[in-house]
Amino acid sequence: QVQLVESGGGLVQPGGSLRLSCAASGSIFSINTMDWYRQAPGKERELVAAITSGGSTNYKDSVKGRFTISRDNAKNTVYLQMNSLKPEDTAVYYCHAEVRRSGTLIITAYWGQGTQVTVSS
């Protein structure tokens, strides 16, 4: 089995910064794309940022220039550095990864449990 464990959420004032981390563990052969999604109350879950195993990135328009996604392939960990945070960034942030487990050729998607980010004065 594979687990994704997020950390780094919390309460921050507008204009502040937070860094989210997500570590994947278990029977992992390789990880393709790793992503961060978020879901605000009453809204659908949306893609915030994605990074391929080669380091190519993609961002939601509203976070471009403020958020940076990165990953450490040796540690199977993805990060989301969030700067200049706004109240509208408030949501539960979820890590998502496409994983090839050891001993298989199948790619399976896994989700973390989510971490709350609240931006408020």
Side-chain angles (χ1 to χ4, degrees), residues 45-83:
R45 191 172 296 189
E46 62 181 7
L47 178 65
V48 176
I51 185 167
T52 67
S53 57
S56 296
T57 59
N58 185 40
Y59 296 93
K60 177 180 174 61
D61 284 347
S62 63
V63 307
K64 287 180 180 178
R66 300 189 297 121
F67 291 10
T68 302
I69 189 170
S70 61
R71 64 190 281 175
D72 184 333
N73 290 329
K75 296 181 178 180
N76 290 330
T77 299
V78 63
Y79 307 95
L80 186 67
Q81 177 67 43
M82 304 185 293
N83 299 328

Coordinates of all heavy atoms in Angstrom, one line a residue, residues 45-83:
R45 N -13.5 20.5 -5.6 CA -12.0 20.4 -5.5 C -11.4 20.9 -6.8 O -11.8 20.5 -7.9 CB -11.6 19.0 -5.2 CG -10.2 18.8 -4.8 CD -9.9 17.4 -4.4 NE -10.7 17.0 -3.1 CZ -10.5 15.9 -2.4 NH1 -9.6 15.0 -2.8 NH2 -11.2 15.7 -1.4
E46 N -10.3 21.7 -6.7 CA -9.7 22.2 -7.9 C -8.2 22.0 -7.9 O -7.5 22.0 -6.8 CB -10.0 23.7 -8.0 CG -9.5 24.6 -6.9 CD -9.8 26.0 -7.0 OE1 -10.6 26.4 -8.0 OE2 -9.3 26.8 -6.2
L47 N -7.6 21.9 -9.0 CA -6.1 21.7 -9.2 C -5.4 23.0 -8.9 O -5.8 24.0 -9.6 CB -5.8 21.2 -10.5 CG -4.3 21.0 -10.8 CD1 -3.7 19.9 -9.9 CD2 -4.1 20.6 -12.3
V48 N -4.5 23.1 -8.0 CA -3.7 24.3 -7.8 C -2.4 24.3 -8.5 O -2.0 25.3 -9.1 CB -3.5 24.4 -6.2 CG1 -2.6 25.6 -5.9 CG2 -4.8 24.5 -5.5
A49 N -1.6 23.2 -8.4 CA -0.3 23.1 -9.0 C 0.0 21.7 -9.3 O -0.4 20.8 -8.5 CB 0.7 23.8 -8.2
A50 N 0.8 21.4 -10.3 CA 1.2 20.1 -10.6 C 2.7 20.1 -11.0 O 3.2 21.1 -11.6 CB 0.4 19.5 -11.8
I51 N 3.4 18.9 -10.8 CA 4.8 18.8 -11.2 C 5.1 17.4 -11.7 O 4.6 16.4 -11.0 CB 5.8 19.2 -10.1 CG1 7.2 19.2 -10.5 CG2 5.6 18.4 -8.8 CD1 8.2 19.9 -9.6
T52 N 5.7 17.3 -12.8 CA 6.0 16.0 -13.3 C 7.3 15.4 -12.7 O 8.0 16.2 -12.0 CB 6.2 16.0 -14.9 OG1 7.4 16.8 -15.1 CG2 5.0 16.6 -15.5
S53 N 7.6 14.2 -13.0 CA 8.8 13.6 -12.4 C 10.1 14.3 -13.0 O 11.1 14.3 -12.3 CB 8.9 12.1 -12.7 OG 8.8 11.9 -14.1
G54 N 9.9 14.9 -14.2 CA 11.1 15.6 -14.8 C 11.2 17.1 -14.3 O 12.1 17.8 -14.7
G55 N 10.2 17.5 -13.5 CA 10.2 18.9 -13.0 C 9.4 19.9 -13.7 O 9.4 21.1 -13.4
S56 N 8.7 19.5 -14.8 CA 7.8 20.5 -15.4 C 6.6 20.8 -14.5 O 6.1 19.9 -13.9 CB 7.3 19.9 -16.8 OG 8.3 19.7 -17.6
T57 N 6.2 22.1 -14.5 CA 5.2 22.5 -13.6 C 4.0 23.2 -14.3 O 4.1 23.7 -15.4 CB 5.7 23.5 -12.6 OG1 6.3 24.7 -13.3 CG2 6.8 22.9 -11.7
N58 N 2.9 23.2 -13.6 CA 1.7 23.9 -14.1 C 0.9 24.4 -12.9 O 0.9 23.8 -11.9 CB 0.8 22.8 -14.9 CG -0.4 23.5 -15.5 OD1 -0.3 24.5 -16.1 ND2 -1.5 22.8 -15.5
Y59 N 0.4 25.6 -13.1 CA -0.3 26.3 -12.0 C -1.7 26.8 -12.4 O -1.9 27.2 -13.6 CB 0.5 27.5 -11.6 CG 1.8 27.2 -11.0 CD1 3.0 27.2 -11.8 CD2 2.0 26.9 -9.6 CE1 4.2 26.9 -11.2 CE2 3.2 26.6 -9.1 CZ 4.3 26.6 -9.9 OH 5.6 26.3 -9.3
K60 N -2.6 26.9 -11.5 CA -3.9 27.6 -11.6 C -3.5 29.0 -11.8 O -2.6 29.6 -11.1 CB -4.7 27.3 -10.4 CG -6.0 28.0 -10.3 CD -6.8 27.7 -9.0 CE -8.0 28.5 -8.9 NZ -9.0 28.2 -10.0
D61 N -4.3 29.7 -12.7 CA -3.9 31.1 -13.0 C -3.9 32.0 -11.7 O -3.0 32.8 -11.6 CB -5.0 31.7 -14.0 CG -4.7 31.2 -15.4 OD1 -3.6 30.6 -15.7 OD2 -5.6 31.3 -16.2
S62 N -4.8 31.8 -10.8 CA -4.9 32.7 -9.7 C -3.8 32.6 -8.7 O -3.6 33.4 -7.8 CB -6.2 32.5 -8.9 OG -6.3 31.2 -8.4
V63 N -2.9 31.5 -8.8 CA -1.8 31.4 -7.9 C -0.5 31.6 -8.6 O 0.6 31.6 -7.9 CB -1.8 30.0 -7.2 CG1 -3.2 29.7 -6.6 CG2 -1.4 28.9 -8.2
K64 N -0.5 31.8 -9.9 CA 0.8 32.0 -10.6 C 1.5 33.2 -10.0 O 0.9 34.3 -9.8 CB 0.5 32.2 -12.1 CG 0.2 30.9 -12.8 CD -0.1 31.2 -14.3 CE -0.5 29.9 -15.0 NZ -0.8 30.2 -16.5
G65 N 2.8 33.1 -9.8 CA 3.6 34.1 -9.2 C 3.6 34.2 -7.7 O 4.4 34.9 -7.1
R66 N 2.7 33.5 -7.1 CA 2.6 33.5 -5.6 C 3.0 32.1 -5.0 O 3.6 32.0 -4.0 CB 1.2 33.8 -5.2 CG 0.7 35.2 -5.6 CD -0.6 35.6 -4.9 NE -1.7 34.7 -5.3 CZ -2.4 34.0 -4.4 NH1 -2.1 34.1 -3.1 NH2 -3.4 33.2 -4.8
F67 N 2.6 31.0 -5.7 CA 2.8 29.7 -5.3 C 3.9 29.0 -6.1 O 4.0 29.3 -7.3 CB 1.6 28.8 -5.4 CG 0.5 29.1 -4.4 CD1 0.5 30.3 -3.7 CD2 -0.6 28.3 -4.3 CE1 -0.6 30.6 -2.8 CE2 -1.7 28.6 -3.5 CZ -1.6 29.8 -2.7
T68 N 4.7 28.2 -5.5 CA 5.8 27.4 -6.2 C 5.7 26.0 -5.7 O 5.8 25.7 -4.5 CB 7.2 28.0 -5.9 OG1 7.2 29.4 -6.3 CG2 8.2 27.2 -6.6
I69 N 5.6 25.1 -6.7 CA 5.6 23.6 -6.4 C 7.0 23.1 -6.7 O 7.6 23.5 -7.7 CB 4.5 22.9 -7.2 CG1 4.3 21.4 -6.7 CG2 4.7 23.0 -8.7 CD1 3.1 20.7 -7.3
S70 N 7.4 22.2 -5.9 CA 8.7 21.5 -6.1 C 8.6 20.1 -5.6 O 7.7 19.8 -4.9 CB 9.8 22.3 -5.5 OG 9.6 22.4 -4.1
R71 N 9.6 19.3 -5.9 CA 9.6 17.9 -5.4 C 11.1 17.5 -5.2 O 12.0 17.9 -5.9 CB 8.9 17.0 -6.3 CG 9.4 16.8 -7.7 CD 8.5 16.1 -8.6 NE 8.5 14.6 -8.4 CZ 7.7 13.8 -9.0 NH1 6.7 14.2 -9.8 NH2 7.7 12.5 -8.8
D72 N 11.2 16.5 -4.3 CA 12.5 15.8 -4.0 C 12.2 14.4 -4.4 O 11.6 13.6 -3.6 CB 12.9 16.0 -2.6 CG 14.2 15.4 -2.3 OD1 14.6 14.4 -2.9 OD2 14.9 15.9 -1.3
N73 N 12.6 13.9 -5.5 CA 12.4 12.6 -6.0 C 13.0 11.5 -5.1 O 12.5 10.4 -4.9 CB 12.8 12.4 -7.4 CG 12.0 13.2 -8.4 OD1 10.8 13.4 -8.2 ND2 12.6 13.6 -9.5
A74 N 14.2 11.8 -4.5 CA 14.8 10.9 -3.6 C 14.0 10.6 -2.4 O 14.1 9.6 -1.8 CB 16.2 11.4 -3.3
K75 N 13.3 11.6 -1.9 CA 12.5 11.5 -0.7 C 11.0 11.3 -1.0 O 10.2 11.2 -0.1 CB 12.6 12.8 0.1 CG 14.0 13.0 0.6 CD 14.1 14.3 1.5 CE 15.4 14.5 2.0 NZ 15.5 15.8 2.9
N76 N 10.6 11.2 -2.3 CA 9.2 11.0 -2.7 C 8.3 12.0 -2.0 O 7.2 11.7 -1.5 CB 8.7 9.6 -2.3 CG 9.3 8.5 -3.2 OD1 9.7 8.7 -4.4 ND2 9.5 7.3 -2.6
T77 N 8.8 13.3 -2.1 CA 8.1 14.4 -1.4 C 7.9 15.5 -2.3 O 8.7 15.9 -3.1 CB 8.9 14.8 -0.2 OG1 9.1 13.7 0.8 CG2 8.3 16.0 0.5
V78 N 6.7 16.1 -2.2 CA 6.3 17.3 -3.0 C 6.0 18.4 -2.0 O 5.5 18.2 -0.9 CB 5.1 17.0 -3.9 CG1 3.9 16.7 -3.1 CG2 4.9 18.2 -4.8
Y79 N 6.4 19.6 -2.4 CA 6.2 20.8 -1.6 C 5.4 21.9 -2.3 O 5.3 21.9 -3.5 CB 7.6 21.5 -1.2 CG 8.6 20.5 -0.6 CD1 9.5 19.9 -1.4 CD2 8.6 20.2 0.7 CE1 10.4 19.0 -0.9 CE2 9.5 19.4 1.3 CZ 10.4 18.7 0.5 OH 11.3 17.8 1.0
L80 N 4.7 22.7 -1.5 CA 4.0 23.9 -2.1 C 4.3 25.1 -1.3 O 3.9 25.2 -0.1 CB 2.5 23.6 -2.2 CG 1.7 24.7 -2.9 CD1 2.0 24.7 -4.4 CD2 0.2 24.5 -2.7
Q81 N 5.2 25.9 -1.8 CA 5.5 27.2 -1.1 C 4.4 28.2 -1.5 O 4.3 28.5 -2.7 CB 6.9 27.7 -1.5 CG 7.3 29.0 -0.9 CD 7.4 28.9 0.6 OE1 8.0 28.0 1.1 NE2 6.9 29.9 1.3
M82 N 3.7 28.7 -0.5 CA 2.6 29.7 -0.8 C 3.0 31.0 -0.2 O 3.1 31.1 1.0 CB 1.3 29.2 -0.2 CG 0.9 27.8 -0.7 SD -0.7 27.2 -0.1 CE -0.3 27.0 1.7
N83 N 3.1 32.0 -1.0 CA 3.5 33.4 -0.6 C 2.3 34.3 -0.9 O 1.4 34.0 -1.7 CB 4.7 33.9 -1.3 CG 5.9 33.0 -0.9 OD1 6.0 32.5 0.2 ND2 6.9 32.9 -1.9

